[in-house]
Amino acid sequence: MATHKLLLLPGDGIGPEVMAEVRRLVGWLEQRGVADFALEEGLVGGSAYDAHGAAISDADMDRAQAADAVIFGAVGGPKWDPVPYDVRPEAGLLRLRKDLGLFANLRPAICYPALADASALKRELVDGLDILIVRELTGGVYFGEPKEIVTLEDGTKRAVDTQVYSEGEIERIARVAFDLAKVRGNKLASAEKRNVMKTGVLWHQVVSRVHKESYPEVALEHILADNCAMQLVRRPKQFDVLVTDNLFGDILSDIAAMLTGSLGMLPSASLGDVDPATGKRKAMYEPVHGSAPDIAGKGVANPIAMLASFGMAMKYSLGLGELADALDQAIAQVLTEGLRTADIAAPGTNSVSTGEMGGAVIKALEQQLAR
Ligand code: IPM
Ligand code: MG
């Protein structure tokens, strides 16, 4: 049996609590003889800053490069608000994305019927929602240079961020999105601001060319990013796969998250190119929710996004796709059975702890597999 090398980076806030449920799931998989794992654990974010004065150490970066998959919890918290910009907790996450070349960020937003009432939108708008946001993750305004604050001659300051995209960067993310559209609903929406931004003009041109050249059978729609935000709350089920740049993807995926009832439900996968020599790709899996410092350490965080992120690792990195599907079924099952952590519980109803939810998902997974 192949041994899967995983690097766990729990991070800050609720990160360690939800990561504990991944450890449990991994232990259960080993016990069942499904797979063997070699687990390593490292520090990222504020916890890494406290230990080494950097948001991630070079040694942990090397371990991330060597892993089959990096499993990431969350970073940040008010404790580190005063630390210098270059070593702020988020810098660790951004370095992992950039140095591992994880340009394709997949953020599925699924509204489980059992949770439709937890959404801020009316049930009929979100019940059964299943969209996939494909966010470009290593380019755009997040990384473009210059990126600086300069002092002008008159003593006032000026800040610059640079939005930059090359044709190659747009083409490779477009291909990932078209390929995913083909195995889903065969339709793709591409969001940019070509009415204002040159990067939007090029984005539109490149996506159109790739469509014409390689994916004419996929129904492609171009949509302005602001209109896309509006359509996501007006009639979200019109979308299936949505491809967009780094910054728009950040914003649109938070909107999509709330459609599903809670940020605590959204997993993500960040993938690099397939290495032709090994057939493998670098990958990192992380919940979309943050470190939630307000509830950290209380044992009440929702572990579903973290567990579902591990499910995406099983699917995209570990060759355990069927098991990943069973895990999704198990999550749907516990929700149907009425189990709720505080973030998705109706006001005035009981909620379970992080550990109880994690345990219930594993139990449901056992039942799913016995079917
Ligand atoms: C996300 C987060 C990050 C981002 C932050 C923590 C740097 O909001 O993954 O969506 O902006 O990409
Ligand atoms: Mg975000």
Side-chain angles (χ1 to χ4, degrees), residues 212-225:
K212 213 166 134 197
E213 278 172 11
S214 310
Y215 304 91
E217 71 282 17
V218 176
L220 171 67
E221 173 199 12
H222 297 282
I223 184 165
L224 295 174

Side-chain angles (χ1 to χ4, degrees), residues 83-97:
V83 311
Y85 182 81
D86 287 346
V87 290
R88 72 202 187 287
E90 291 77 9
L93 174 59
L94 296 175
R95 180 171 177 200
L96 281 158
R97 290 175 179 172

Side-chain angles (χ1 to χ4, degrees), residues 21 24 303 307 334 339 354-365:
E21 302 310 309
R24 220 155 115 176
L307 289 170
V334 296
L339 228 61
T354 308
E356 282 166 324
M357 181 59 95
V361 170
I362 293 178
K363 199 168 142 214
L365 179 57

Side-chain angles (χ1 to χ4, degrees), residues 112 131 141 147 156 166 200 233 252:
Y112 295 94
I131 58 187
V141 75
K147 189 178 196 64
T156 62
S166 67
V233 283
L252 295 176

